[in-house]
């Protein structure tokens, strides 16, 4: 079995850019920087290494979230897949790049900034959010039943109380 999954936690290097494909689908693109820090054993000096990752979101809902709430400098958590592509640059040189792609029904985007982080206008409310694509449903963006609003959770057993107690009453001995 092969697995193609990428998890990144980093900061946006530029504001999201929205493009419309000939099919009418929208793609949101941006770059994410991940930085690794360590201390040099010989000198004790702190060293950093930053890697830049190109991200493309083909998922309509995740794209809207990125477009609306993410800005240069925003801290995000992403889950996607690696995808390589080739193209010819303006000088006619053949290039190959690898992107992190959030497909239509796969991927996750979590905003890790506190309220207003990465934005100047402060309309973003909440201390970060989790948005994932799993094929639809009314609990969009909520990854576990405990994160759902009480009205979205499964109803309590009729008559209240523990389900195990109710089952015991129904079993004849």
């Amino acid at each position: 079995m092969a697995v193609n999954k990428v998890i990144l936690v980093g900061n946006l290097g530029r504001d999201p850019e929205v493009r419309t494909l000939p099919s009418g689908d929208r793609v949101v693109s941006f770059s994410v920087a991940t930085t690794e820090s360590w201390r040099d054993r010989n000198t004790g000096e702190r060293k950093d290494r930053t890697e830049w990752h190109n991200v493309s979101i083909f998922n309509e809902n995740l794209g809207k979230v990125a477009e609306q709430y993410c800005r240069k400098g925003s801290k995000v958590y992403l889950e996607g897949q690696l995808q390589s592509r080739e193209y010819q640059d303006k000088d006619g040189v053949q290039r190959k790049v690898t992107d992190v792609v959030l497909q239509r029904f796969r991927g996750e985007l979590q905003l890790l900034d506190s309220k207003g982080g990465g934005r100047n206008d402060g309309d973003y409310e909440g201390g970060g959010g989790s948005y994932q694509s799993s094929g639809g449903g009314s609990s969009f963006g909520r990854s576990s039943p405990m994160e759902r609003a009480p009205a979205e959770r499964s109803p309590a057993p009729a008559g209240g109380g523990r389900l195990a107690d109710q089952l015991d009453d129904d079993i004849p001995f």
Side-chain angles (χ1 to χ4, degrees):
M1 177 170 84
V3 176
N4 181 356
K5 184 172 187 174
V6 176
I7 298 174
L8 294 177
V9 176
N11 296 84
L12 267 69
R14 59 184 162 91
D15 286 349
E17 175 185 316
V18 181
R19 291 174 294 141
T20 303
L21 301 175
S23 66
D25 293 336
R26 292 167 37 114
V27 179
V28 178
S29 302
F30 51 88
S31 60
V32 172
T34 56
T35 303
E36 179 182 7
S37 298
W38 71 94
R39 288 218 178 270
D40 187 293
R41 288 184 182 181
N42 300 328
T43 64
E45 182 183 356
R46 183 174 175 226
K47 302 238 179 182
D48 293 328
R49 179 175 40 232
T50 301
E51 293 284 337
W52 287 93
H53 313 275
N54 294 321
V55 177
S56 297
I57 301 176
F58 289 88
N59 179 291
E60 183 180 348
N61 292 324
L62 296 181
K64 286 179 184 177
V65 169
E67 180 183 5
Q68 187 173 359
Y69 296 115
C70 294
R71 296 290 176 261
K72 180 178 178 178
S74 297
K75 185 175 278 298
V76 294
Y77 168 97
L78 297 169
E79 283 187 21
Q81 294 180 310
L82 287 180
Q83 199 169 84
S84 296
R85 60 186 168 88
E86 290 185 15
Y87 69 97
Q88 202 169 40
D89 69 9
K90 60 185 175 191
D91 299 325
V93 177
Q94 194 72 13
R95 303 265 182 193
K96 185 172 183 176
V97 293
T98 301
D99 296 329
V100 176
V101 176
L102 283 70
Q103 295 290 352
R104 289 191 117 190
F105 299 106
R106 291 192 194 144
E108 184 170 344
L109 170 65
Q110 289 185 22
L111 310 174
L112 300 178
D113 285 326
S114 60
K115 182 177 178 178
R119 284 194 72 135
N120 296 329
D121 55 10
D123 356 338
Y124 172 59
E125 294 183 19
S130 174
Y131 305 91
Q132 59 185 347
S133 176
S134 58
S138 65
S139 60
F140 169 74
R142 303 230 171 87
S143 59
S144 77
M146 294 311 293
E147 292 179 16
R148 294 184 186 143
E152 293 177 345
R153 293 185 192 146
S154 300
R162 290 181 13 177
L163 182 58
D165 292 338
Q166 292 178 7
L167 291 175
D168 290 343
D169 293 341
D170 294 338
I171 299 173
F173 287 102

